[in-house]
Amino acid sequence: MTQSDTAARTRWTIYTLLFAIAAGGIAARILSVEGASGNTPFLSANDRSRWSTIRSLGDHGTFVLDAVILRPNGKFDKDWHSIDLVRHVGHDGEEHYYSSKPPLLTVLFTGEYLAVRTLTGATLEEKPFYVGRIMLLLTNLALFGLIVLLVALAAEDYGRTDAGRIFVVAA
């Protein structure tokens, strides 16, 4: 084994340790987040608007949020209601609530939600912490790992010194 092979192996060990530390921090944050009511892990109106849409699409097959954000008595469910809503006339001629957020991210997450629901049997309505956290861990850690890997590969290709390569990956 040459000196350059040993240096490369050492760098990749450091990259792996850096990823593990950062991923642990990300996972800890995801697992500790709790909304103001304590009943969901969704913090803001933005969060609730998106997650309500994911739940509505996954459980009811529609962008209409009425069944998710309104209780049977017609009052808003504080755990799912959001100010990030619009009200439009639907296909049935009645006004309904919709998220004001762009739909691409929620549609992508709905596919993940359906997979998690199918594999675990858990729904966002019944187990919002369990399902939401699984989805966030799968998405965030997988994408973060991909980003770190791509940055490490670029640092290996374009870096000139060990310290510079490690600094780029650490940053």
Side-chain angles (χ1 to χ4, degrees):
M1 184 178 306
T2 67
Q3 186 176 3
S4 65
D5 290 342
T6 303
R9 184 170 291 174
T10 301
R11 286 192 309 273
W12 279 100
T13 300
I14 293 169
Y15 301 158
T16 303
L17 288 172
L18 290 169
F19 170 75
I21 292 166
I26 292 168
R29 179 65 179 143
I30 288 170
L31 295 173
S32 68
V33 169
E34 186 174 292
S37 69
N39 296 325
T40 67
F42 315 128
L43 294 177
S44 65
N46 187 359
D47 263 358
R48 288 189 305 276
S49 182
R50 291 182 191 278
W51 285 98
S52 294
T53 305
I54 293 165
R55 182 177 152 199
S56 185
L57 281 170
D59 294 345
H60 306 289
T62 181
F63 281 97
V64 174
L65 300 181
D66 298 359
V68 173
I69 66 169
L70 295 172
R71 292 186 174 151
N73 64 6
K75 294 190 178 191
F76 287 116
D77 183 337
K78 65 180 175 165
D79 294 327
W80 293 95
H81 176 256
S82 169
I83 60 170
D84 290 348
L85 298 173
V86 294
R87 197 157 162 89
H88 287 291
V89 175
H91 294 295
D92 60 1
E94 301 292 320
E95 285 194 351
H96 299 284
Y97 289 101
Y98 299 87
S99 173
S100 63
K101 301 297 167 201
L104 179 61
L105 184 63
T106 54
V107 170
L108 293 173
F109 267 85
T110 299
E112 184 178 3
Y113 170 51
L114 291 172
V116 169
R117 191 180 75 182
T118 299
L119 292 172
T120 66
T123 66
L124 277 168
E125 178 181 15
E126 296 165 353
K127 296 184 178 184
F129 282 99
Y130 179 72
V131 174
R133 288 175 174 170
I134 286 174
M135 290 175 62
L136 290 172
L137 287 169
L138 287 172
T139 302
N140 292 346
L141 290 181
L143 291 175
F144 179 67
L146 178 63
I147 290 167
V148 170
L149 176 63
L150 293 173
V151 169
L153 290 171
E156 287 295 309
D157 283 348
Y158 298 108
R160 294 186 180 179
T161 66
D162 292 341
R165 290 177 178 119
I166 293 168
F167 176 79
V168 166
V169 174

